[in-house]
Amino acid sequence: MSDEFDVIVVGAGPAGENAAARVVRGGLSAAVVEEELAGGECAYWACVPSKALLRPMELAAEVGRLPGLHLGETDVGAILRRRDAMTANLDDSGQVSWITDLPAVFLRGRGRLAGPRRVEVTAADGSVRTLRARHAVVLAVGSRPVIPPIPGLAEAKPWSSREATSVRVVPRRLAVLGGGVVACEMAQALHGLGARETTVIVRGGALLERMEPFAGELLDASFAEHGIDVRYRTEITRVDRRKPDGQVTLHLSEGPPLVADQLLVATGRRPATEDVGLATAGLPERRAVEVDDSMRALGVDEGWLYAVGDVNGRSLLTHMGKYQARICGDVIVARSRGEWDDLPSMRDSADAAGPPQVVFTDPQVCSVGRTEAAARREGLPIRTVDYDMGRVAGASLLGDGYTGRARAVVDVERQILVGVTFVGPGAAELLHAATIAVTARVPLSELWHAVPSFPTVSEVWLRLLETYGL
Ligand SMILES: Cc1cc2nc3c(=O)[nH]c(=O)nc-3n(C[C@H](O)[C@H](O)[C@H](O)COP(=O)(O)OP(=O)(O)OC[C@H]3O[C@@H](n4cnc5c(N)ncnc54)[C@H](O)[C@@H]3O)c2cc1C
């Protein structure tokens, strides 16, 4: 097999796989290097298993809102088996075939940049092979969880999202450190599966702090209703664990120590750049790879290096990594033909405007574009419009006591939406309409003619426009 390819992709997560697919579609040859499982974090330890664990809880909550329906016993084993099936029992042969069928060459091993257009691949047996790229190298190595420097924490071997999403025995007493998306989703999933005493420890004053404030407030109310204890403005000052899997004692900045069977740390992620040879490309190590809007790394002579997905630190979301990968692949193909002319379709504009994101809790939280606070920080001339989603006929038909809220952030000069947030059961499926309106900058006067069907929750669109004055 030749060691020379048009493009070498390092990392076969969703971003890397899509970059390879796109360059092959454009007629270039590609090699994909993966040290663990093709499919990446998303397929085995992140998006897919977490949603497989959350879906039964969402359905149970929905049944609880409908009189006359009753849930039987929860079969935790069956839920975990379905999770295992959704993650292909950690067998990546299907994903590997997808790559080889592109066709691209798949190489299992650790990839490391070794100077311009070169990648060294170290296989599990220690053998090293050096690949050369004719056009480009795409780094798509993802991210790793951050463990904060709290005394005793690393020694206590806490769970990260990997252990939480691949849980086999659900701890009865669970402590979760963090108040962001992963912390909220996994606290609710594990609580529903049997972590009866779940405590979420949040350094700040709210859950989901980067979203509209009402998102965290409604989620907090749901946590309280389900019996999940949230401790705000609280820090862990020390962690004690005597035996590897024994109970863990958390010393807190507020109140008495908390004893739990397991501690999940969900305090963010950092780019997986500690040992990928960035210095050989003239870049700083251990940082996100800064890219331009065509995903080309800044500061690399001759511009042969690209970075897509979590590793560039733009948006730590699968769909955004895949979007970046499509752009990157097309740009590499166009540049290889000398045709690239900075076309708008080959430039990332979705990340900066505020990517679409869903938090799959009950209630679901979803948003696209800017929050009110972000729009004000940017100095945009905005007005916000809120609506109680429980008042929409379609929502009340979905279940009794439907609680939710919508917010539209309107640029009053341009008469377009620059941000939308929905919080409510099943709200995730409302998001794409908002994404189209925000991304395509649909004028409100045109949006007015997009008539939502009766009786769907989408009628909230009409109510938002009416509240705005249309
Ligand atoms: C619990 C959890 C739930 C999430 N849920 C969602 C969700 O619902 N929706 C969503 O959009 N996002 C979600 N995310 C975020 C999402 O998982 C990431 O944004 C996504 O996986 C990033 O894709 P990627 O291809 O950049 O990186 P990854 O998926 O991390 O893939 C990187 C790949 O590179 C490989 N690799 C690393 N270094 C090397 C090397 N040196 N050589 C060879 N291979 C290497 C890794 O083994 C891995 O396979 C979630 C994250 C977590 C933690």
Side-chain angles (χ1 to χ4, degrees), residues 60-62 64-65 188 191 196 198 207 217-230 362-363 400-404 425:
E62 225 169 293
R65 286 190 278 269
Q188 206 169 41
H191 180 260
R196 300 323 306 165
T198 297
L207 300 172
E217 286 158 22
L218 288 172
L219 192 54
D220 176 87
S222 165
F223 277 10
E225 194 187 318
H226 287 96
I228 297 175
D229 181 10
V230 186
D362 181 63
D400 291 351
Y402 183 107
T403 307

Side-chain angles (χ1 to χ4, degrees), residues 33-37 106-111 120-129:
V33 183
E34 168 57 51
E35 68 171 335
E36 275 189 275
L37 297 179
F106 180 76
L107 293 163
R108 186 95 58 189
R110 182 167 180 74
E120 253 174 30
V121 182
T122 308
D125 63 7
S127 60
V128 180
R129 186 169 160 187

Side-chain angles (χ1 to χ4, degrees), residues 10-16 33-37 39-42 45-47 50-51 109-111 140-144 161 165 182 185 269 276 308-311 316-319 360:
V10 184
V33 183
E34 168 57 51
E35 68 171 335
E36 275 189 275
L37 297 179
E41 203 71 18
C42 175
W45 301 286
C47 328
S50 61
K51 269 76 257 182
R110 182 167 180 74
V141 294
S143 61
R144 306 232 156 89
S161 49
T165 52
V182 172
E185 285 187 348
R269 300 181 69 83
V276 289
V308 292
D310 283 10
V311 72
L316 275 60
L317 292 163
T318 289
H319 44 278
F360 289 83

Side-chain angles (χ1 to χ4, degrees), residues 212 352-354 368-372 374-375 378 380 409 414 418-421:
E212 294 286 9
V368 62
R370 293 138 173 108
T371 58
E372 175 181 9
E378 279 181 48
L380 294 178
V409 183
R414 290 183 290 167
V418 291
V420 178
T421 298

